[in-house]
Amino acid sequence: MTLSILNLYGQEDRPIAEGKVSYITLQNIYVKFETSGLVQPGDTVFIRKDQALVPLFVTESVSSLSCVGKPVAKTDIKVSDVVVIKVKKSSKPTPRKDKIPTGPSSLRTDSVQSPESKLPDKSVPGLERAERIWGRLSATSYSSFSNTSDFNQRMRYTFTLSADHISGGRISTDTYITFTHKLNEWATVKNNIFDAFKIYSLSVNYDVTNKTQVAVGRKINPKIASIGAIDGLQAETKAGNFTLGAVAGTSPDYTDYSFNPKLFEYGGYISHDINNKSGNMSSSLAFFQQTSHGMTDRRFAYFQHDNSLIKNINLFVSSEVDLYALKDSIPTNTISLTSLYLSLRYRVSKQLSAYLSYDARKNVIYYETFKNYLDLLLQDATRQGYQLRINYRPSNSISSSLTGGYRFQKNDIHPMLNVNGFLTFSKVPGINSSVTFSTNWIQSSYVDGMIYGVQLDKELVPSKLSAGINYRLVDNKYLNATSGPRSLQHMAALELSWQISKKMYFSANYDGTFEKSNKYHSIYVSLTQRF
């Protein structure tokens, strides 16, 4: 999905750039940028949470335009939300030969639409198979405590290793493993190792010919990313501008992501791609059947279209249609629109761009996996939402954005309205820093609130050490609240990023929330070594 990106120049030596969330799973967040080479492994991706730059994740894998990582904490981020990275002046463009990030499946929950990722074109006759091996090892600590709760610390260790064309041959491998645990809770790990130990990718790929590939193991296929990871066999071949693929295997267990042979699934897809001087166009259609204990769990079709052939305009369409249902316990073939996502971006000029989107979705129904909750899931009405965003940058030192959102559901007492905006001044005289002022208004059936914020970012040592400080004032008026009609919060955040060496990166973040009687604190520390 082509993104609406706005380069926000925080400083001449430390520019800030925006990308957008393209896909979300229970474990990972995928982000795509419009300009290549902006992000490197170990970079911190931020979200404007309550209009403040708050760490969202540290990138674990990158391609030329995309990156992926695990969220620091629970978040309500959605597909198409804007994220921010701080680009190092010395950063070199990521070679397009890098592989697209991989990650876990949606674990048979309410899925979100995933813009189709682009893999390097290995089908070109005569393309040299050069060996490329890279990986990453990281240790991350996330701690939280307050005056009303005990200290809680969670550790996560991540190992990734990718090897393309080993010894110049036809075999490539991909590995992505994590181990997560809470301190002093080893009993949970001993009870079920897969609650802590996750294998998100462990596959071997073989180039049968320059146009045909076969993969075996656990792998997520970018062309059918909404399916998530598949344990089994995947095959793909190209014929001109068309790509044909088939998949057969099992879905990881939805409770702990372990191997589950009782969740057999299979399907196929066809895609068509056009790349020329005018732009790109990609269309894909997939059919998939998922089962549980031999019974049909879900049968659906997935369509996606991404078009940027018209200058300064990008259109993206994504939808899922369910083809199976149980009516009075009797299997039936049906056609039911499960989700529809439309977005249109128009770049009026270098300074001005506009983005409009529409999102409608129902609960995804797995008739066997969640058969005890069918009545509740089927009663849930379609959720719909609109979003309009205007980005304006009058100069390299001033940038602004205004976003309005409207979300509603049939049984909502009051639809949710949200308006937020920010104004950034880069390289402010006297302090040589970037300063951002922001505000956010939200109104729903349970809250009417305002958030005011200011953030300062400064590069202490060019391309080595940077720091940030943020303050937010949250003024919420709650409807039907038992604890009182109004809540006033003071929120502060501190950030430190240190590029220790070319391949070693350290980051630390503190976030505090201060109310009249309660105080909440969280600390995030991460050390990453690339090789």
Side-chain angles (χ1 to χ4, degrees), residues 390-465:
I390 305 295
N391 295 327
Y392 181 58
R393 190 183 70 218
S395 68
N396 286 344
S397 60
I398 301 176
S399 57
S400 62
S401 179
L402 182 64
T403 302
Y406 176 78
R407 286 193 295 174
F408 63 96
Q409 199 168 342
K410 186 177 181 180
N411 56 356
D412 282 344
I413 300 176
H414 190 290
M416 192 188 80
L417 300 173
N418 180 267
V419 178
N420 62 76
F422 69 84
L423 178 64
T424 297
F425 298 91
S426 65
K427 204 172 183 180
V428 176
I431 59 175
N432 194 29
S433 303
S434 170
V435 178
T436 297
F437 300 95
S438 59
T439 185
N440 182 27
W441 171 71
I442 183 172
Q443 185 180 74
S444 68
S445 57
Y446 63 91
V447 66
D448 186 350
M450 289 293 300
I451 303 171
Y452 310 92
V454 59
Q455 170 138 355
L456 184 146
D457 294 289
K458 183 175 180 61
E459 193 169 46
L460 305 177
V461 180
S463 302
K464 285 290 185 180
L465 185 65

Side-chain angles (χ1 to χ4, degrees), residues 13-58:
D13 294 332
R14 189 68 166 173
I16 296 177
E18 289 188 355
K20 286 181 59 181
V21 175
S22 60
Y23 180 50
I24 302 172
T25 71
L26 290 183
Q27 282 76 24
N28 282 332
I29 297 175
Y30 294 76
V31 170
K32 193 173 182 183
F33 299 89
E34 192 173 70
T35 303
S36 63
L38 292 178
V39 62
Q40 300 290 332
D43 286 349
T44 301
V45 176
F46 300 86
I47 181 75
R48 292 186 182 275
K49 182 181 179 182
D50 298 330
Q51 295 306 294
L53 287 183
V54 177
L56 180 63
F57 65 83
V58 175

Side-chain angles (χ1 to χ4, degrees), residues 314-333:
N314 175 255
L315 171 67
F316 179 79
V317 181
S318 175
S319 68
E320 286 189 8
V321 177
D322 274 66
L323 306 174
Y324 171 86
L326 283 178
K327 296 182 179 181
D328 298 326
S329 300
I330 300 176
T332 61
N333 295 320

